[in-house]
Amino acid sequence: MKVLLLGATGNLGSRLIPALLAHNHSVVIFVRSESKLRALVDSAALSKCTIVTGDATDSHAIEDAILNNRCDALVNSAGLAAAFPWEAPKMQGIVQAVATSAVEASKKLGYPIRSWFLGGLTVLDLPGKPGTKVSYYFPAFTEHGHTVDCISSKPREHLQWSLLAPSLMTPASKEITLLEAPRGNPLAAQNDTPADWRPNFLSGVPVLGVYAEIVMNMLRYNTTLEDCADFLAADLTKGESEHLGHKVGIIVSDEKKRQLPIPSLFATKATMLSFLPVLVPLILSFTAPSRAYWKGFNLPANLPSGACKTREDWARDFSVLKSLPGQFTSARLFASSDCGTLANAVPAALAANAGLLVGVWATDNAHYEAEKAALLQAIQQHGTQWIIAVSVGSEDLYRGDTSAANLASQIREVKSLLCERGACGIEVGHVDTWTAWVDPKNEDVIRACDFVGHDGYPYWEGASVDQGLNAFRTNLEKTRSTVGRVKPGTWVWVTETGWPVTGASVGLASSSVANAQAYWKSAACESFRGAHTFWYTTQDYASSPSFGVLGADFKPLYDLSC
């Protein structure tokens, strides 16, 4: 095959060059720095390749490289995923650009592009728990989950994808030279779940058992970069790969040849038990709420009766949220000055150790000025430790209340005001419907945002509750795709979604407690594991339709566990 290789100066990418050549593939290298490439890889190997320079986030340049060289396959090893959910994303823009360029090139060439992407073991499903990723219990390198979402959303007739999901990869040699023949590899592969996963004697321990099982298994999945490179190159020689459309777990098939990072640490029960003082804090560090995605609810400044909330009302809100199964400690506010929102909510949030996604209402100049003043006053009185981020405006583009240029200017203004008060690190963005985000005329707003808040309601689109999760995923990916193209690396937060317990039907969508429960179990539980998420809403029992998860007695209307 003629293979476009991205990430050729990386640890895996550089070793893919000789591996692909050894398997008789033609190699087109797409690289940002040719001089760096030549310093890493043997000139004899590079002399057999075509080299194209460009940026891995430039979908047009990648598409041109595919078209000009008539590539029929690609391997993307570019980018380094963020290790933890609270870190800034590092590779979403690259993945989106590569996947999009492959689809567009395929349409013009008239044949599909066979593609391998790189992920990690945590995107695989946990054995015995179909649909539950390893990352649900061990949230490391969760950015790979966005890679899966992106590539799986593309038309299969254009992007024939697979995703390699290794654990630790180490070099067998520092030398990267031309091979006379394929080196072969000792890897066993399995689609969608880790190969040769093994429970251990701690697996049945309540709560900690599953974490111990994951940690101890991970140490068995060390592979070499050279073996992984040969595996990918060999698979591309197949006419029809069994891994098409799958995440692929790999392990060295001969247990005696596995190179464990800590060779004998878990050889016996005694040594495993001796490791528990280290293992337990490690597990707790991954599972503590403060170390995962923000998850919370949209909280209005008014009670269902219409009266403004007092400080005591806000305190009750935060107390109730913390008592729910998800132990929620964050909330999104729509405005800052209305009903004295920040004046009353911030002291209550600080007392409850809760974080706030602050809203600054952007429509109407007088209102906007009052909002900025209320935010700055709250910062002056209470500092900034309670602020998760700031959203300038809410669905203004959807309503047509302002222009993209004006809203972008307001976002930049709020950023500047925060910087003047020593708070440059606070992210400032905007919340709007997915339909507004995918509209090309609103791209100036995306460029101004540090984060993008996605609002999406399958109910309002007339989807049945059975279709709800797919509709939620599809529309979220549309937003992510647009944002990844316009401003690569910008995170998309889920800032509003939900399903009503009462109210009129919309198309196939009907409101009921059972349907709200079903949508929560599918969309909420998935989103909480993969994105900063704020559900709509806690209480609105006087509204129709009513999306609130709590009744007038502040008790859940349905099971809110995940």
Side-chain angles (χ1 to χ4, degrees):
M1 302 188 84
K2 181 167 276 193
V3 183
L4 181 70
L5 174 62
L6 298 100
T9 58
N11 287 325
L12 178 61
S14 57
R15 288 163 175 83
L16 273 162
I17 296 170
L20 290 166
L21 292 171
H23 281 274
N24 296 316
H25 297 293
S26 298
V27 181
V28 179
I29 300 172
F30 187 92
V31 67
R32 183 170 51 187
S33 172
E34 184 173 345
S35 60
K36 182 178 179 181
L37 176 69
R38 294 192 178 280
L40 286 171
V41 182
D42 178 46
S43 59
L46 293 179
S47 68
K48 297 179 178 295
C49 303
T50 300
I51 300 174
V52 179
T53 57
D55 192 302
T57 62
D58 187 342
S59 60
H60 297 298
I62 299 170
E63 181 183 342
D64 286 345
I66 297 172
L67 293 173
N68 294 339
N69 295 281
R70 297 194 66 81
C71 296
D72 49 6
L74 69 81
V75 180
N76 178 49
S77 64
L80 181 65
F84 301 108
W86 56 88
E87 293 182 353
K90 299 177 180 178
M91 59 185 297
Q92 290 180 35
I94 293 174
V95 171
Q96 180 58 44
V98 173
T100 299
S101 64
V103 170
E104 294 306 312
S106 168
K107 293 176 182 177
K108 295 171 183 175
L109 291 168
Y111 53 76
I113 305 298
R114 177 71 179 107
S115 306
W116 271 99
F117 289 81
L118 186 63
L121 187 144
T122 57
V123 302
L124 297 173
D125 293 343
L126 193 64
K129 295 180 180 289
T132 300
K133 297 183 180 68
V134 174
S135 60
Y136 177 72
Y137 295 98
F138 198 88
F141 300 100
T142 55
E143 193 176 4
H144 289 312
H146 296 301
T147 299
V148 177
D149 291 342
C150 176
I151 61 179
S152 62
S153 71
K154 303 302 182 186
R156 187 71 61 84
E157 64 268 25
H158 297 303
L159 185 72
Q160 294 189 341
W161 66 270
S162 299
L163 181 133
L164 188 69
S167 184
L168 179 65
M169 296 182 291
T170 55
S173 171
K174 293 182 179 180
E175 299 298 322
I176 303 171
T177 58
L178 189 64
L179 300 172
E180 294 183 0
R183 69 190 302 277
N185 70 82
L187 301 181
Q190 183 166 296
N191 291 339
D192 301 318
T193 59
D196 194 28
W197 187 267
R198 297 182 185 179
N200 55 60
F201 82 101
L202 290 174
S203 298
V205 177
V207 183
L208 292 181
V210 65
Y211 297 99
E213 180 180 315
I214 290 170
V215 171
M216 294 171 187
N217 266 288
M218 279 183 166
L219 297 174
R220 302 172 51 246
Y221 286 83
N222 189 36
T223 56
T224 70
L225 292 158
E226 288 81 358
D227 284 344
C228 290
D230 185 82
F231 174 86
L232 295 175
D235 183 80
L236 289 176
T237 64
K238 300 175 182 177
E240 184 70 24
S241 172
E242 67 273 27
H243 303 307
L244 194 65
H246 290 283
K247 305 169 290 185
V248 183
I250 51 173
I251 192 170
V252 174
S253 55
D254 186 345
E255 191 165 359
K256 295 179 180 179
K257 295 181 180 179
R258 291 175 190 161
Q259 300 176 11
L260 299 182
I262 309 175
S264 59
L265 182 60
F266 299 120
T268 67
K269 289 185 180 181
T271 54
M272 290 167 75
L273 288 171
S274 70
F275 189 65
L276 282 179
V278 177
L279 178 62
V280 171
L282 175 66
I283 291 169
L284 292 177
S285 74
F286 276 105
T287 58
S290 63
R291 306 295 274 179
Y293 295 103
W294 294 106
K295 59 178 183 177
F297 285 84
N298 288 265
L299 295 182
N302 300 83
L303 298 169
S305 65
C308 291
K309 285 181 180 176
T310 64
R311 186 174 301 185
E312 290 71 26
D313 291 323
W314 285 106
R316 180 173 56 186
D317 281 348
F318 295 127
S319 176
V320 170
L321 291 183
K322 192 175 288 187
S323 71
L324 296 177
Q327 298 180 325
F328 300 96
T329 57
S330 57
R332 176 189 170 223
L333 310 179
F334 294 93
S336 293
S337 63
D338 298 353
C339 278
T341 298
L342 295 187
N344 291 310
V346 175
L350 286 168
N353 195 27
L356 301 177
L357 171 52
V358 180
V360 171
W361 201 255
T363 305
D364 176 61
N365 286 339
H367 196 173
Y368 174 57
E369 292 300 322
E371 292 284 283
K372 290 186 294 181
L375 173 59
L376 297 179
Q377 178 68 24
I379 291 173
Q380 182 177 348
Q381 291 182 336
H382 304 291
T384 60
Q385 70 270 28
W386 50 277
I387 300 177
I388 296 172
V390 176
S391 168
V392 179
S394 179
E395 298 191 354
D396 306 75
L397 300 173
Y398 167 74
R399 294 191 303 271
D401 289 344
T402 188
S403 68
N406 185 62
L407 184 56
S409 177
Q410 289 174 308
I411 293 169
R412 288 190 289 267
E413 181 185 13
V414 172
K415 285 186 191 179
S416 178
L417 289 174
L418 292 173
C419 270
E420 290 172 3
R421 283 148 184 83
C424 292
I426 294 175
E427 293 190 337
V428 180
H430 173 68
V431 169
D432 224 303
T433 64
W434 72 267
T435 54
W437 289 122
V438 301
D439 189 334
K441 70 173 181 286
N442 295 326
E443 292 181 359
D444 282 349
V445 178
I446 296 175
R447 294 186 186 96
C449 286
D450 296 324
F451 73 94
V452 163
H454 165 98
D455 291 357
Y457 291 88
Y459 166 82
W460 286 120
E461 295 170 27
S464 70
V465 72
D466 293 335
Q467 301 165 338
L469 178 60
N470 283 336
F472 170 76
R473 287 172 170 170
T474 298
N475 296 336
L476 179 58
E477 182 54 36
K478 288 178 181 177
T479 299
R480 284 175 171 160
S481 296
T482 302
V483 173
R485 173 180 57 80
V486 175
K487 190 179 179 184
T490 303
W491 271 40
V492 174
W493 300 16
V494 177
T495 40
E496 282 188 43
T497 191
W499 199 279
V501 293
T502 62
S505 295
V506 180
L508 298 176
S510 59
S511 60
S512 69
V513 170
N515 285 349
Q517 165 94 81
Y519 187 64
W520 173 277
K521 288 292 187 180
S522 58
C525 294
E526 177 174 289
S527 190
F528 289 150
R529 296 194 296 265
H532 300 308
T533 303
F534 296 86
W535 200 255
Y536 189 85
T537 182
T538 49
Q539 275 186 328
D540 65 347
Y541 52 82
S543 301
S544 183
S546 172
F547 286 79
V549 302
L550 304 177
D553 58 359
F554 287 89
K555 293 182 179 179
L557 297 173
Y558 47 86
D559 180 13
L560 296 176
S561 64
C562 285

